[in-house]
Amino acid sequence: AKLGDDRQVGVAVELTGLPSGYVLVLFDEPSARTVAEAMGTEPVDGGFGPMHRSAIEEICNVMISGFVDGWANVLGTSNQHTPPEFVHDFASALVDPIMVDLATEQEHAFVFDTVVQTSEEAVSCQIYALPEERELQRALERLSPEELPADIESRMRVDPDSVFGGEA
């Protein structure tokens, strides 16, 4: 996926467990502002104040938790993640240090184009999953096709009612 030349706003977390790695959720600046304001924060001229940052961290934490839980369910592993760290920079500036940390031979990243529906409009973001490839390979090798649930896609979905207490 092309990382683009625009500044992005979101969070980064480090995964612990099998596989370890990183997950980022990134919005373009206008989308991040829309999501933060939909969560009740007041507009800030040209920037992201503490309340915007907190709102972005919270919505991204919910998204990442659902994603990581779904991944662990399918792989039959246990996984945790660090608290979300607010990021605001060019996507390449955010991803490049992670790729260096993982390994120079890292070949794959997973990118999910995602839509967040606010009460007023839908905004898009991208989820970048950067697992440590050798560990992901080990987790996948432990699975046999017979063990994979027929409803993998439904097991990966997050039920908004369970996350937002029925107020999604």
Side-chain angles (χ1 to χ4, degrees):
K2 185 174 189 263
L3 295 175
D5 300 327
D6 296 328
R7 290 175 57 89
Q8 303 287 305
V9 177
V11 302
V13 300
E14 185 172 358
L15 300 176
T16 58
L18 186 66
S20 63
Y22 298 87
V23 176
L24 289 91
V25 175
L26 300 178
F27 294 90
D28 62 39
E29 289 178 332
S31 294
R33 199 166 281 108
T34 297
V35 168
E37 290 170 6
M39 293 181 68
T41 63
E42 295 296 319
V44 175
D45 293 334
F48 290 90
M51 294 304 289
H52 273 90
R53 289 173 180 241
S54 180
I56 294 294
E57 287 173 346
E58 183 60 32
I59 191 67
C60 291
N61 190 46
V62 169
M63 294 170 68
I64 290 170
S65 293
F67 177 81
V68 170
D69 289 348
W71 201 349
N73 286 343
V74 169
L75 293 175
T77 62
S78 175
N79 220 318
Q80 302 277 324
H81 64 82
T82 60
E85 179 184 336
F86 182 85
V87 293
H88 185 191
D89 207 335
F90 299 102
S92 58
L94 300 170
V95 173
D96 286 350
I98 290 171
M99 295 305 290
V100 168
D101 184 49
L102 286 173
T104 54
E105 67 269 2
Q106 187 86 8
E107 292 183 34
H108 301 289
F110 301 92
V111 181
F112 302 89
D113 289 319
T114 307
V115 174
V116 175
Q117 179 69 49
T118 70
S119 59
E120 311 258 325
E121 62 186 291
V123 294
S124 62
C125 67
Q126 291 185 315
I127 299 175
Y128 293 83
L130 302 140
E132 203 289 328
E133 284 186 20
R134 289 179 298 263
E135 292 177 7
L136 179 58
Q137 174 106 23
R138 277 199 309 265
L140 291 171
E141 286 171 352
R142 292 181 3 194
L143 298 176
S144 68
E146 297 81 34
E147 291 178 289
L148 291 175
D151 64 342
I152 286 177
E153 188 173 324
S154 68
R155 291 180 68 178
M156 292 290 291
R157 285 198 189 108
V158 176
D159 177 10
D161 290 339
S162 68
V163 174
F164 295 106
E167 299 176 18

